[in-house]
């Protein structure tokens, strides 16, 4: 169903969202002044900066993408004067809860309509086990969360779901605990927190699927450049990959090995994606990615692969709509708890566009290729990654698709639409 779209050129994408969140939340805990360049200036990451400002942190914008953060020290935060608003950001409320659980004061954190429906029991339960007092709606499972922090004890916690947010929350709380905190992951999730805390001088050790952090008195400040976000790059990788004749270079993209599952699946589908100029920046692997359009074939994504591509599933569904055969993604039930139920959202949108697809409880299938019905109004359900996927699908197919609630794209990727339009003109 490929139209005549061809994309050529060289782009860079905004800073990594996960790493920007962590820089905004961790640097205020350091002793000394941090410099963070390449910061993602978007609604989600500004929620993390806002939370830390509410706790007394001095976060100055040297430019929209460069922060100068005066550290308050691990024990220098102050009780917030008002309810903290995490907006749409699960990362802010979940990782932030780990910091708040250790503070000798009361905090209340809430968020927008979507965030207030997202499960928080996964952090409330282990943080409570460490000694924090946390209340929330629906039996302490939903925001707002009311957190009375205090002295914490170490814990060994086997996470029921692979979640970097939960792991990070517990490791942060562990910096303040009376003894080490060990988190056992069912599958390895992104390790940005471990890398950043180690760079700040914390003692973080790993053995297989277990990671341990020791209690700590002081963190060193950060001086780093955030790499481009592979999860944002994914939309453009897919756009170029599904349009034969295209050739696109994405400069300076983070290629943390726990984030590259989507690239591996695209390669398996036949996409020509090469990485060059591999380097380490700010403790994270970075590369330039060169993608050339090709005919794609369907692929099967296994449950073990899901943590490494969890945020890329909507974009992969677009690739699947252009690929010959039936693509299946299983073991991805976590997608139902993201900014929207991403399984239901993608299947509803693709079906209305005439793409053959269906849901499983833990995933979905998409059968391609098929002509895309023009002029259909698709619902992003207020989810940035669904909105961007649909825009890429329309651009690649050369078919107008109207996307409801596309303003949510600013959650993670301000400038997405102009970058897209600049490429397909
Ligand atoms: C994130 C972890 C993932 C991911 C989210 C960002 C992080 O969520 O989906 O977009 O920055 O730690 P989970 O921790 O729920 O797996």
């Amino acid at each position: 169903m490929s139209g005549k779209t061809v994309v050529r050129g060289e782009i860079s994408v905004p800073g990594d969202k996960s790493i920007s969140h962590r820089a905004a939340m961790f640097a205020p805990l350091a002793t000394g002044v941090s410099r963070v360049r390449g910061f993602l200036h978007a609604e989600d990451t500004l929620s993390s900066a806002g939370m830390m400002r509410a706790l007394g942190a001095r976060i100055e914008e040297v430019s929209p993408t460069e922060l100068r953060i005066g550290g308050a020290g691990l024990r220098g935060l102050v009780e917030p004067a008002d309810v903290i608003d995490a907006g749409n950001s699960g990362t802010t409320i979940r990782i932030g809860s780990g910091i708040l659980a250790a503070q000798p004061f009361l905090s209340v954190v809430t968020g927008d309509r979507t965030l207030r429906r997202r499960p928080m029991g996964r952090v409330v339960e282990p943080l409570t086990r460490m000694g924090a007092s946390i209340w929330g709606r629906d039996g302490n499972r939903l925001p707002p969360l009311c957190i009375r922090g205090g002295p914490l004890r170490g814990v060994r916690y086997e996470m029921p779901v692979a979640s970097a947010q939960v792991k990070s929350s517990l490791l942060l709380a562990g910096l303040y605990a009376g003894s080490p905190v060990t988190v056992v992951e069912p599958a390895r999730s992104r390790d940005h927190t471990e890398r950043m805390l180690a760079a700040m001088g914390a003692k973080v050790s790993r053995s297989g699927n277990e990671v341990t952090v020791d209690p700590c008195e002081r963190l060193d400040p950060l001086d780093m450049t955030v790499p481009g976000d592979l999860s944002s790059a994914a939309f453009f990788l897919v756009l170029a990959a599904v349009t034969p004749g295209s050739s696109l270079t994405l400069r300076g993209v983070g290629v943390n090995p726990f984030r590259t599952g989507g690239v591996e699946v695209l390669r398996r589908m036949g996409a020509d994606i090469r990485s060059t100029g591999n380097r380490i920046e700010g403790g994270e692997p970075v590369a330039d990615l060169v993608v050339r359009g090709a005919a794609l074939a369907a692929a099967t994504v296994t449950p073990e692969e899901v943590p490494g591509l969890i945020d890329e599933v909507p974009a992969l569904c677009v690739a699947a709509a252009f690929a010959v055969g039936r693509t299946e993604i299983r073991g991805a039930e976590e997608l139902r708890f993201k900014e929207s139920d991403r399984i239901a959202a993608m299947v509803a949108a693709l079906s209305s566009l005439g793409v053959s697809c269906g849901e499983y409880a833990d995933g979905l299938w998409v059968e391609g290729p098929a002509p895309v019905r023009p002029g259909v109004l698709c619902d992003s359900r207020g989810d940035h990654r669904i909105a961007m996927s649909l825009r890429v699908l329309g651009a690649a197919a050369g078919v107008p698709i109207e996307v409801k609630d596309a303003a949510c794209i600013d959650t993670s990727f301000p400038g997405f639409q102009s970058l897209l339009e600049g490429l397909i003109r």
Side-chain angles (χ1 to χ4, degrees), residues 18-180:
S18 288
I19 299 174
S20 296
H21 272 299
R22 286 159 174 77
M25 286 191 268
F26 301 177
L29 308 178
T31 301
V33 176
S34 292
R35 298 300 286 244
V36 181
R37 291 165 292 275
F39 179 74
L40 170 65
H41 187 96
E43 283 169 9
D44 242 31
T45 44
L46 292 175
S47 291
S48 285
M51 176 181 73
M52 298 312 288
R53 284 195 179 109
L55 299 171
R58 282 169 295 119
I59 304 180
E60 224 181 279
E61 274 181 24
V62 179
S63 78
T65 57
E66 184 172 343
L67 302 182
R68 184 180 180 280
I69 304 175
L74 275 164
R75 284 159 186 85
L77 301 179
V78 298
E79 187 169 73
D82 202 349
V83 173
I84 294 170
D85 184 4
N88 190 245
S89 174
T91 311
T92 305
I93 191 167
R94 294 211 183 102
I95 300 187
S97 295
I99 298 173
L100 297 173
Q103 307 306 316
F105 51 68
L106 183 88
S107 315
V108 182
V109 201
T110 189
D112 69 10
R113 253 179 70 239
T114 313
L115 189 70
R116 281 185 272 117
R117 287 199 296 256
R118 295 184 64 188
M120 295 299 142
R122 53 184 65 192
V123 288
V124 170
E125 199 264 318
L127 290 171
T128 304
R129 238 192 254 184
M130 290 178 70
S133 301
I134 310 182
W135 300 267
R137 291 186 304 124
D138 191 32
N140 303 330
R141 284 193 290 261
L142 293 177
L145 297 181
C146 177
I147 303 176
R148 167 149 308 274
L152 299 178
R153 46 186 174 270
V155 73
R156 178 186 161 82
Y157 185 68
E158 295 195 16
M159 287 198 300
V161 288
S163 161
Q165 294 173 350
V166 175
K167 172 177 65 175
S168 302
S169 186
L170 299 183
L171 295 179
L172 263 285
L175 296 174
Y176 295 86
S179 55

